[in-house]
Amino acid sequence: MMGFVIRRLLAAIPTLLAVLTLVFIIVRIVPGDPAMVILGDQATPEAAAALRSRLGIDVPIWTQYLRFVGAALTGDFGASMVTSRPILAEVGAVLPHTVDLTLAAMLVGVAVGVPVGIWAALHRNGAIDVAARLLSLIGLSFPVFVSGIFLLLAFALHWRIFPVIGAADLSDIPDRLYKLVLPALTLGLVMAAYITRVTRSAMLASLSEDYIRTARAKGVPWRRVVWVHGLRNASLPIVTVVGLYVGILIGNSVLTEIVFNRPGLGKVIVGALNQRDYTMLQGLMVIYCFLIVVVNLVTDLLYGVLDPRVKT
Amino acid sequence: MKKLLLALALLAGTAQAQTLRIGMAAQDVGRLDPHFAVSTIDRVAVAWMFNGLVRFPPGSIDPSKMEPDLAERWESSADGKTWTFFLRRGVQFHGGFGELTADDVVFSLRRAGTAATSAFSADFRAFESVEAVDPLTVRITLRENVPNLLGIVTNYSGGYIVSRRAATERGDGFARAPIGTGPFALERVTPNASAEFVAHPQYFRGAPQIQRISYRFIPSDASRDLAFQNRELDINYGRADQTWLTRTRALPGVTVEVFEPGELTILNLDTTRPPFNDLRIRQAVAHAINRPEMVRFRGADVSREAQSLVPRGYLGFTADNGLLGFDLARARALLTEAGHPNGITIRVVHTQLPEMLNGMQVIQQQLRRAGITLDLQVVEHATFHQQIRQNLSPLVYYAAARFPVADIYLNQFFHGRSRVGTPTAVTNFSHCDMADGQIDAARVSTNPAEQLRLWAEAQRLLVTAVCGVPVFETLLVFARRNTVDYGYPLTGSMSLGPLITEATTLRP
C-alpha cells in the first residue's frame, strides 16, 4: 500500500512540472499588464517600468521561468504581485473555507444522492424513478447562482434563519458550521443530482447480475441483497464520480463562494486571473494540482478497499 | 434542529456588536499602501487610515474649501514657488509608531513623488525639493507653479502621510500592514472576505466614536443587496442605476446618498487615423449622440448630461464651448459629405465590464441610427486597458473622475505629452495636442482669472476639433441605514466612498 502511494506521488511530479510550465506560459500569453492593474490608469510609463522591474517581469521570459521553477521546488511561491501578501499565507487563509465547503457538499451529495439513486433503481420506471430522474434533471439544470439566491431569499430574508454573508471566522466553530449550511446545500444538491443518476444506473446494472439472483435464491434478506451485494458492487462508479466531483469542487465552487460571500480557492483563482497576478496564479495552480493528485490518490485507494480485485 | 440553528446564530452574532459593517463591490483589497491605492476599494479604506497636510472638509470635494489636517497652517511665497507647512504637535501614528514629525512628511512626499514607490509620482513633477526646516516645519520648493499645490498635499492619492519608520522597516510589507495617523488602523485582512479596522484612540481630533469597521468584500450585487436588506450591513456600495436607487430608497430606515465626483464618460476619437482623421466623421459621431436619452437610460438621479471635455463642477470647467448637439439629419449629411453615404463600420475594442458594456451598447444603437456601425470587440477588462493603450481602437469609451481642477483632466486626456503609445503616455487616446499651449500656460499662471480663461479656451479648441464626445457623468451612490450618522452631509468624497471619521456614529 505504502509503495503504491509513493509511486503515485512520484508519478505526480512530471504532471506538476507540466502544469507549472503550462500555467507559466498561459498567464503570460493572456493580454493585460500586471503593472497597469496595480498602478491604475494614471500611471506613467516610467512608473510602470519601475514596477515591472521590481516585480521581476522585465527580465527575459526564460529567466523568469527558471526563477519560478527554482523557487517552487523549494516550496517558495513568493508573494502576490497585487496585494504583496505571501501566497502560501493567502492560500492558507482561504483553503479551510474551501475544504469545509467541499466536504460538506460531498456529504450532502452522497447522503441524498446514493439513497435516492438506489430507491429509483428499485422502482425502475415507476413513479418514484420518474420523480427522482426529474428532480435530478432540475438539480443539474439549475445554476448555483440561481438556486443560491433562492435559498438566500427563503432562509435569510423570509425566515431569517441563516445569514446572507457566509464568510465565517475560522476560529469560531459554531459560526463556521452555521454559515456553511446554505452554501453546502446549494452545491451538495447539484452533486446529489449527479450521484443519483450514477447510483441509479450502477445499481440497475448490479441488480441484474447473476450473484444477486443467487443471493435471493439463497434466501438472503432483500435489504441485505441491496445494500451489501448490490451497492458494494455498484460503488466503484459512484466513488469515481464523487472523486472527480470533489476535484472539480475545490476550484470550481467560485459561483457559490460569490453568491454566499465566502472566501475560497476558486474565488482567489478568478481574482488573480482578472488582476493578472502571475505569481498568485502560478502558486495557486501548483497547489490546486497537488490537491487534485491527492484526491485522485484517495479515490484509487478506495477502489482497492471496495474491490479486492483492484490491486494497489 | 431550529433551536440548534438559533443557538449557532446567537453564538455567531455576539462578535458583531459595535462594528460598522460596510459592503463593497470588490473581491478583495489590493494594496493598502496609500501611494499605491488606485482602485475604488483601496481608496475608500485608505482615507480612514491616513491624513494629508490639508484636507477636503468631510463630505466635500470643493478645492476652494481646503482646511488644515496634519498641518495647522501654511504660507506661500509671493511667486507661489515656496510653500511652508507648520505641523500639528502631538499627532500619533497607529501601533505605537510615535509622533508625526517633519521627517515623516518629507519622507512621504518624496516617496509619493518617486516612480518606483508610488502610482502618483507624475503629480509631483513640479516639485524641486521637500525639506524639514525643523521637526514641525516642512518646506516645499517648486520648479514651476502648479494650479493647486494644496491639491497635491491633501488627503488624496499621493498626499497621504505615512510613518517613515514603518514604511522603511516593513518595505513591501507596508502595503499589508500600513501605518498612518487617521482615525482607524488596519487590524487584519482576511483574503476574499474582509478587512477589519480598529479605532485609533490617540487620533488627534479625538477618539472615534465607532470602535471597529468591518469592510466586507462582496462582489455580487444581488448578495450585497440581500445582506443590506437583511441588516447584515450598515452601509452598502450602491449602483448608479435608477431602478436600484428607487428600490433601495423605498426600504424602511434607509438613506441613499448620491454624491460627487461625477465620472465623465467620453468617446475619445483618434484624430490621427482613419476614419476619425476626418473632422466630418468626428462631427457626425458628435451629432449622433443623444445625451438626454442616455441620461434616461442611466437614471436622472444618478447621472447627468456631460457639457464639456472636463467634468462639471471642476475648477476651470466651462459649458460655453460650442459642444455639438443631437442632430441625426446633420450626422447623416456629414457622413455623406465624407464619402460614406451608405454608412460606415468601425471596429472598436471595448471591455466586458457590465456597466461600461451596457453604456456602450446604448451608444452603439444611437450611432447606428446615423449610419455608424460599431463592430464591438468585447474583451476582458485588463486586456481592454492594454489594447487601448496600444492604439488598437480608433474610438475609446472611457469613464474617469480626477482631482476637481481642469488642469488634471486636460493634461491626462488631451495634452500631446499624454498621447498613448509615447514614452510619456497617460490617457490621451485622441492624440490631440492643439490645446497644449493653453494647458501649459494655465498650469504655470499665477493669475486665477487668466488660468480660468486659458482652460476655457483649451476646452473650446478641443470641443471644436471633436477630440472626444462627452456623453454623460455618473455620480457615486452609497446606501446607509439610518442608524449610521456620518457626522457631516455627504455631498462629495475624493476617496470615492463615505469618509468614516471620529464623529461618525452608529446607533444599535
Side-chain angles (χ1 to χ4, degrees):
Chain A
M1 173 78 90
M2 188 51 75
F4 172 75
V5 172
I6 291 169
R7 278 199 307 278
R8 286 299 304 269
L9 285 176
L10 286 175
I13 290 173
T15 313
L16 281 173
L17 271 174
V19 169
L20 280 181
T21 309
L22 270 176
V23 169
F24 180 88
I25 294 168
I26 288 168
V27 297
R28 281 163 177 77
I29 287 175
V30 178
D33 181 358
M36 280 304 302
V37 175
I38 295 168
L39 294 175
D41 61 352
Q42 298 182 60
T44 58
E46 185 196 3
L51 184 63
R52 279 189 211 105
S53 167
R54 220 174 76 195
L55 296 174
I57 52 175
D58 61 337
V59 296
I61 198 144
W62 281 111
T63 314
Q64 290 182 49
Y65 178 71
L66 291 175
R67 276 183 195 167
F68 162 56
V69 173
L73 289 177
T74 62
D76 173 16
F77 294 104
S80 156
M81 283 181 174
V82 176
T83 64
S84 82
R85 299 195 287 255
I87 288 163
L88 285 180
E90 192 106 338
V91 172
V94 298
L95 197 57
H97 295 279
T98 299
V99 171
D100 281 0
L101 182 58
T102 305
L103 291 181
M106 187 181 79
L107 211 65
V108 172
V110 172
V112 174
V114 171
V116 173
I118 294 172
W119 205 22
L122 295 178
H123 297 84
R124 185 178 186 180
N125 294 331
I128 289 171
D129 185 24
V130 172
R133 278 190 284 165
L134 191 67
L135 284 175
S136 71
L137 188 66
I138 292 170
L140 290 175
S141 312
F142 252 74
V144 290
F145 57 83
V146 174
S147 51
I149 293 287
F150 276 144
L151 286 177
L152 283 177
L153 282 171
F155 292 99
L157 245 68
H158 187 71
W159 289 307
R160 296 185 180 274
I161 300 173
F162 293 105
V164 176
I165 298 176
D169 178 357
L170 285 175
S171 61
D172 185 346
I173 301 295
D175 186 47
R176 204 162 152 180
L177 291 172
Y178 173 55
K179 289 177 174 169
L180 190 58
V181 177
L182 288 187
L185 268 180
T186 306
L187 268 186
L189 290 177
V190 179
M191 190 173 181
Y194 273 109
I195 293 176
T196 298
R197 296 178 86 84
V198 172
T199 306
R200 177 186 174 276
S201 58
M203 280 300 284
L204 284 175
S206 173
L207 291 174
S208 63
E209 293 287 345
D210 289 348
Y211 56 79
I212 296 289
R213 195 169 55 239
T214 307
R216 294 193 72 177
K218 280 199 309 186
V220 177
W222 178 231
R223 184 181 295 268
R224 186 173 164 77
V225 170
V226 171
W227 287 96
V228 177
H229 297 266
L231 182 60
R232 176 149 190 185
N233 285 288
S235 57
L236 282 190
I238 300 171
V239 168
T240 307
V241 166
V242 171
L244 283 173
Y245 208 83
V246 165
I248 292 169
L249 279 186
I250 291 172
N252 280 20
S253 32
V254 58
L255 289 176
T256 312
E257 289 161 3
I258 287 173
V259 169
F260 292 97
N261 313 299
R262 289 177 60 83
L265 210 53
K267 220 162 133 184
V268 179
I269 291 173
V270 172
L273 187 61
N274 283 337
Q275 297 186 304
R276 302 296 187 270
D277 192 343
Y278 293 168
T279 49
M280 178 60 90
L281 262 179
Q282 288 163 184
L284 283 169
M285 292 316 290
V286 174
I287 292 160
Y288 179 60
C289 185
F290 179 74
L291 289 173
I292 297 291
V293 167
V294 170
V295 168
N296 283 339
L297 182 62
V298 171
T299 310
D300 285 355
L301 291 174
L302 273 176
Y303 283 167
V305 173
L306 291 168
D307 186 349
R309 289 170 301 179
V310 178
K311 298 284 183 205
T312 55
Chain B
M1 183 64 181
K2 192 162 182 178
K3 278 183 182 168
L4 173 70
L5 289 170
L6 282 173
L8 285 170
L10 284 172
L11 279 168
T14 48
Q16 306 296 329
Q18 299 301 312
T19 301
L20 180 68
R21 302 155 306 171
I22 303 177
M24 192 66 192
Q27 190 156 301
D28 206 339
V29 282
R31 291 181 173 228
L32 292 177
D33 178 336
H35 300 150
F36 278 105
V38 294
S39 62
T40 301
I41 186 171
D42 294 353
R43 282 182 185 272
V44 172
V46 153
W48 306 330
M49 295 189 285
F50 292 90
N51 297 93
L53 290 177
V54 299
R55 71 169 187 174
F56 291 97
S60 160
I61 62 160
D62 185 345
S64 68
K65 290 184 179 157
M66 298 269 199
E67 60 182 30
D69 202 11
L70 294 176
E72 55 188 5
R73 63 190 174 87
W74 57 90
E75 57 193 37
S76 67
S77 62
D79 65 356
K81 288 188 178 170
T82 305
W83 290 71
T84 309
F85 290 87
F86 302 94
L87 305 181
R88 285 176 199 268
R89 195 177 292 276
V91 173
Q92 294 293 325
F93 280 108
H94 306 149
F97 272 86
E99 191 175 328
L100 171 92
T101 68
D103 268 354
D104 296 298
V105 176
V106 171
F107 172 81
S108 299
L109 296 181
R110 285 182 184 163
R111 183 178 190 262
T114 306
T117 51
S118 166
F120 310 110
S121 56
D123 297 346
F124 293 78
R125 209 168 27 219
F127 276 43
E128 187 171 281
S129 67
V130 185
E131 55 202 338
V133 177
D134 64 46
L136 289 174
T137 310
V138 176
R139 183 184 299 132
I140 296 171
T141 310
L142 302 174
R143 278 190 203 95
E144 58 185 30
N145 275 304
V146 292
N148 192 330
L149 184 276
L150 293 182
I152 301 175
V153 297
T154 188
N155 56 340
Y156 172 71
S157 295
Y160 288 115
I161 303 303
V162 303
S163 157
R164 176 185 186 151
R165 180 154 73 89
T168 310
E169 281 176 11
R170 295 180 178 181
D172 267 357
F174 187 75
R176 52 181 190 274
I179 296 293
T181 51
F184 292 91
L186 180 68
E187 184 185 59
R188 66 174 192 279
V189 175
T190 304
N192 280 264
S194 70
E196 306 295 327
F197 299 85
V198 290
H200 176 35
Q202 296 165 293
Y203 182 53
F204 64 87
R205 288 192 175 90
Q209 301 195 43
I210 286 172
Q211 292 159 20
R212 306 179 64 86
I213 301 173
S214 182
Y215 191 38
R216 297 178 177 177
F217 321 139
I218 309 179
S220 158
D221 290 339
S223 303
R224 209 174 53 256
D225 290 348
L226 288 177
F228 184 64
Q229 282 182 52
N230 209 31
R231 299 172 189 275
E232 290 173 51
L233 295 174
D234 303 302
I235 297 174
N236 186 18
Y237 176 82
R239 268 180 278 164
D241 171 90
Q242 192 67 40
T243 312
W244 182 91
L245 190 84
T246 308
R247 197 179 64 228
T248 308
R249 273 186 176 154
L251 294 174
V254 168
T255 298
V256 180
E257 264 117 359
V258 179
F259 56 97
E260 306 280 350
E263 196 176 63
L264 171 60
T265 296
I266 295 177
L267 302 180
N268 297 273
L269 308 176
D270 185 348
T271 55
T272 60
R273 290 187 305 147
F276 296 123
N277 56 353
D278 186 329
L279 176 63
R280 292 166 298 186
I281 297 183
R282 303 204 295 275
Q283 288 172 331
V285 171
H287 280 304
I289 294 299
N290 185 340
R291 292 184 186 85
E293 184 181 65
M294 182 52 106
V295 169
R296 280 199 301 280
F297 169 73
R298 301 294 298 207
D301 290 343
V302 294
S303 64
R304 59 193 176 206
E305 291 179 41
Q307 296 178 332
S308 179
L309 290 170
V310 168
R312 288 202 216 179
Y314 281 30
L315 182 68
F317 160 86
T318 180
D320 176 20
N321 55 38
L323 189 66
L324 298 178
F326 176 57
D327 185 344
L328 266 186
R330 182 76 190 123
R332 287 200 198 97
L334 282 162
L335 270 190
T336 307
E337 250 181 65
H340 301 284
N342 299 319
I344 185 171
T345 298
I346 302 161
R347 189 174 179 275
V348 171
V349 176
H350 196 59
T351 173
Q352 63 180 12
L353 212 64
E355 58 268 37
M356 284 179 73
L357 184 56
N358 293 344
M360 187 54 145
Q361 284 166 339
V362 175
I363 283 168
Q364 188 183 31
Q365 288 309 313
Q366 292 188 349
L367 294 180
R368 183 169 290 164
R369 290 178 203 145
I372 301 166
T373 304
L374 297 187
D375 173 14
L376 293 187
Q377 308 293 309
V378 179
V379 295
E380 190 271 334
H381 196 60
T383 306
F384 165 74
H385 273 287
Q386 189 180 46
Q387 294 193 344
I388 58 177
R389 283 168 176 76
Q390 293 169 338
N391 286 320
L392 293 178
S393 186
L395 182 152
V396 176
Y397 175 113
Y398 208 87
R402 295 287 181 262
F403 190 81
V405 173
D407 173 67
I408 310 286
Y409 222 92
L410 291 172
N411 256 296
Q412 292 188 0
F413 286 92
F414 299 106
H415 194 288
R417 192 172 43 232
S418 305
R419 280 179 294 204
V420 293
T422 65
T424 52
V426 189
T427 41
N428 182 348
F429 303 107
S430 66
H431 295 72
C432 281
D433 59 3
M434 68 282 293
D436 286 8
Q438 286 77 3
I439 298 170
D440 288 336
R443 174 168 262 262
V444 296
S445 170
T446 51
N447 177 346
E450 174 67 0
Q451 232 172 12
L452 292 178
R453 189 191 67 74
L454 287 164
W455 282 329
E457 197 179 317
Q459 286 167 76
R460 277 192 283 275
L461 283 170
L462 295 163
V463 167
T464 306
V466 199
C467 295
V469 180
V471 186
F472 64 100
E473 292 179 16
T474 312
L475 296 161
L476 293 164
V477 186
F478 269 79
R480 67 176 160 89
R481 306 216 141 270
N482 291 341
T483 49
V484 178
D485 179 356
Y486 291 133
Y488 58 85
L490 178 55
T491 58
S493 171
M494 284 312 294
S495 64
L496 311 180
L499 194 63
I500 308 302
T501 73
E502 75 289 351
T504 306
T505 55
L506 172 67
R507 281 186 287 113

